[in-house]
Amino acid sequence: MPPALAPSALLPATLREDFPILATMARGKPLVYLDNAATSQKPRQVIDALSRYYEAENANIHRGVHYLSERATLLYDETREAARRFINAASSREVIFTRGTTEAINLVAQGFGSAVLRPGDRILVSTLEHHSNIVPWQLACARSGAEMVEIPIHDDGSLDMEAFDRLLDARVKLVAVTWVSNALGTITPVAELVRRAHALQVPVLLDGAQAAPHIAVDVQAVGCDFFACSGHKMLGPTGVGLLYGTEQWLDRLPPYQGGGDMIETVTIAKSTWAPLPSKFEAGTPDIAAVVAFRAALDYLTRTGVAAIAAHEHELVALATERLAAIPGVRIIGTASPKAGVVSFTMDCAHPHDIGTILDSEGVAIRTGHHCAQPLMQRFAVPSTARASFYLYNTPDEVDALVRGVEKVRQLFA
Amino acid sequence: MDLGALYQEIILEHNRSPRNHGELAHATGHAHGKNPLCGDEVSVWVHTTGDQVDRVTFTGQGCAISRASASMMTQALTGKSREEALALFRQFHDMVTGAAPVDEAALGKLKVFGGVARFPARVKCASLAWHAFKDALHEDATHRDPA
Ligand SMILES: Cc1ncc(COP(=O)(O)O)c(C=O)c1O
């Protein structure tokens, strides 16, 4: 058996210096930030890009002939091209900037609700989903008379692919599944899901909020019809995310919001839509966030998403092994492969208490239902404690986590 | 940060062995409380005779703070008049939110929850059962004197 920790797979701890916030003292202790699935911290490069934008580049885009407007437009469009490359989309027309994953999924769900779904149609979502890949579909179903059907999971947190096969039939108009579970870390077999769905001409939307930060994404290789992710979980600023959709689908869906930038011509009676991607980008977007997102994509690309994945794998393996050795700790979600996340409960203490005690040690984790209540119901727990790792975390921080959990046990057992 | 201010021994003890835990067969009022943040839930049952609260029980899933708070609440409210019970609710609420100075003598043992005010993320845990109690008492009154 290989040793639990192969130091060669770890990224150099010096990259922590790029993240000013990691020097924070929390409750008098060095901050140990293990809440990366909620949002990642930002490197200096991204913070600088944000302030540089407002100091030297700010103007509205796509509407001015002046120097700054041209420059802001160029930076905005360059980020779109960088994002296209990052997920390997065929064309930058297929990359729509949104506020984040939530808005991206709502955009597709609203379009499906009005243009695709009919009474009796079905949408398949899995037990693993974040509420943002459940509730928009419920709204679309309520408007259209379609219904939601759940793809169940196994006890280890992996998708039940046999059940998926049974559920996949002519009534299904879309499969909407997460690529990586935010609550458990499970990586779903997306290429296989797409292959089976496409065999019946069923399109697939992948919630990539937790995939894009942690594993290499190639939307063409996977073959999905839609893919959504959030900049703030992948070193970027809040307020920007993206929707990838194939041109064929984006052409078919109606606009999400109406307004400036998304039209070709407008009369009071009627308008025609701008071509992709503008059709789906009404109004002034968060230009600063988009421009700074470019710095995040560059940072990830330079570090190497595969290297980041390997680094996290070491930390997750180490944390899992050490936490599981503590009496009364139950790891929730043991399927492999897994990315970035260790979710657990303790016999003696409720996750909320675990969170408070770890916080008093400077260790930031998330406790709660992780916006995945159906998943919590599946494991018959109200909530879990979740440590989630990223490229700047270290084995010493796993130690701090484990020491904190031991302290919980001393206090409560 | 002083964890001891939050997790006092009496709180840990009530968490381990909560009092008045379970449904109340002949309850005159019942209400449910939910903390959407963490998914915690509590149900509170009351039995009143005339103006007096004779018995309060609770069930539910929750953290140590919410369980101990519910448990100690059931003890503190037993035997109180409606008005006294609601006054205690207000005192407790002011203490855990830090909204107003409180009458420590009136709170008695419940003073141990004073530390919660310094943990904003936990205020809801401490007050969940109390809000459910208030709703249960209201339901009880509505049943008895239909408006
Ligand atoms: C799997 C998953 N999907 C969707 C979301 C929603 O992302 P956002 O809040 O950035 O729109 C999250 C974030 O918590 C997530 O983890």
Side-chain angles (χ1 to χ4, degrees), chain A residues 315-337:
Chain A
L315 296 179
V316 167
L318 181 65
T320 304
E321 182 188 311
R322 302 223 13 224
L323 288 174
I326 299 172
V329 169
R330 173 186 171 206
I331 306 284
I332 312 270
T334 48
S336 100

Side-chain angles (χ1 to χ4, degrees), chain A residues 37-38 99-105 128-133 178-183 207-210 229-233 240 366 370-371 386:
Chain A
R99 273 195 305 127
T101 305
T102 302
E103 193 178 49
I105 296 174
L128 291 172
E129 302 316 310
H130 188 280
H131 295 164
S132 64
N133 200 24
T178 194
W179 190 328
V180 175
S181 153
N182 65 307
D207 173 348
Q210 301 293 341
C229 66
S230 299
H232 71 93
K233 292 181 195 288
V240 58
R366 169 87 188 267
H370 316 295
C371 299
R386 177 190 73 185

